[in-house]
């Protein structure tokens, strides 16, 4: 990705007043179906560099973003008011797993399945710290903790297992069998147990 050279690039963008932000090629930046305004585009440019023209989705709760129809490509600050509302099919979907209203892309599903052994279809919330749970329920997972633990090999095996406990319950996996234990006594096991 090319970047505009410092102040020269910024001054080129500010030569004439515009109602919408366009990248260095003059193309529009569309986020969640809405074209970015000049003020938002310039603010993003100052923090993240020039954004190529294109169609993007952005989850204001988690800060995850990607190209329309694609998987999450990265994370920026959460809570930004960019474009329109996040669409259910922003990533193409097809997985039955919804995070903050967006049906995740199959590549995201595969990444989660590698971390957890399997993933239960359903509707989840997740914040910018990668902590989440079922919609309307308490936190039951922390992707940062799971990915750190799974990658460390601290379970004595290949690094595919984990055990995460918090006030919302316990998640565990040995890489082939996964489970959730609710503090009230309910449990769910899935995979090759």
């Amino acid at each position: 990705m090319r970047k505009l050279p410092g102040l020269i690039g910024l001054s080129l963008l500010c030569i004439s007043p515009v109602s919408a932000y366009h990248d260095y090629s003059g193309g529009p930046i569309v986020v969640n179906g809405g074209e970015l305004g000049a003020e938002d585009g310039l603010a993003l440019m100052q923090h993240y560099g020039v954004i190529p023209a294109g169609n993007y989705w952005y989850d204001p709760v988690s800060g995850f973003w990607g190209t329309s129809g694609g998987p999450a490509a990265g994370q920026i600050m959460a809570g930004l008011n960019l474009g329109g509302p996040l669409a259910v099919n922003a990533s193409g979907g097809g997985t039955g797993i919804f995070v903050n209203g967006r049906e995740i892309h199959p590549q995201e599903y595969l990444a989660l399945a590698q971390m957890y052994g399997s993933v239960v279809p359903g509707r989840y919330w997740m914040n910018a710290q990668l902590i989440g749970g079922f919609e309307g329920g308490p936190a039951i997972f922390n992707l940062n903790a799971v990915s750190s633990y799974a990658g460390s090999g601290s379970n004595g095996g290949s690094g595919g297992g984990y055990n995460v406990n918090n006030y919302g319950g316990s998640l565990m996996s040995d890489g082939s069998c996964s489970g959730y234990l609710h503090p009230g006594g309910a449990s769910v096991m899935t995979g090759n147990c």
Side-chain angles (χ1 to χ4, degrees):
M1 175 181 352
R2 292 185 329 171
K3 289 188 177 186
L4 289 172
L7 294 175
I8 295 170
L10 185 57
S11 64
L12 286 174
L13 287 173
C14 297
I15 288 174
S16 61
V18 291
S19 61
Y21 176 76
H22 290 75
D23 79 335
Y24 55 87
S25 70
I29 309 296
V30 178
V31 179
N32 295 343
E35 198 169 310
L36 280 191
E39 190 174 309
D40 290 336
L42 290 172
L44 283 175
M45 185 183 80
Q46 288 174 341
H47 285 4
Y48 303 108
V50 173
I51 303 164
N55 224 332
Y56 299 91
W57 60 264
Y58 167 70
D59 175 356
V61 177
S62 69
F64 278 99
W65 67 273
T67 57
S68 291
Q75 185 181 29
I76 62 174
M77 183 185 321
L80 300 175
N81 186 17
L82 302 175
L86 179 63
V88 170
N89 63 349
S91 294
T95 59
I97 299 164
F98 299 83
V99 177
N100 299 335
R102 175 184 66 92
E103 188 172 13
I104 67 171
H105 188 275
Q107 287 179 2
E108 292 172 278
Y109 169 81
L110 291 174
L112 288 170
Q114 285 180 334
M115 287 169 49
Y116 286 96
S118 65
V119 184
V120 177
R123 300 189 68 85
Y124 300 87
W125 63 269
M126 185 175 69
N127 64 23
Q129 291 74 39
L130 307 184
I131 296 169
F134 288 107
E135 280 185 3
I140 60 170
F141 64 83
N142 180 334
L143 293 183
N144 276 330
V146 172
S147 62
S148 296
Y149 186 82
S152 71
S154 57
N155 63 338
S158 64
Y162 61 87
N163 186 359
V164 178
N165 299 299
N166 66 29
Y167 68 88
S170 299
L171 288 172
M172 73 290 286
S173 176
D174 64 4
S176 62
C177 176
S178 299
Y180 165 67
L181 300 175
H182 188 273
S187 65
V188 176
M189 299 298 284
T190 185
N192 191 9
C193 300

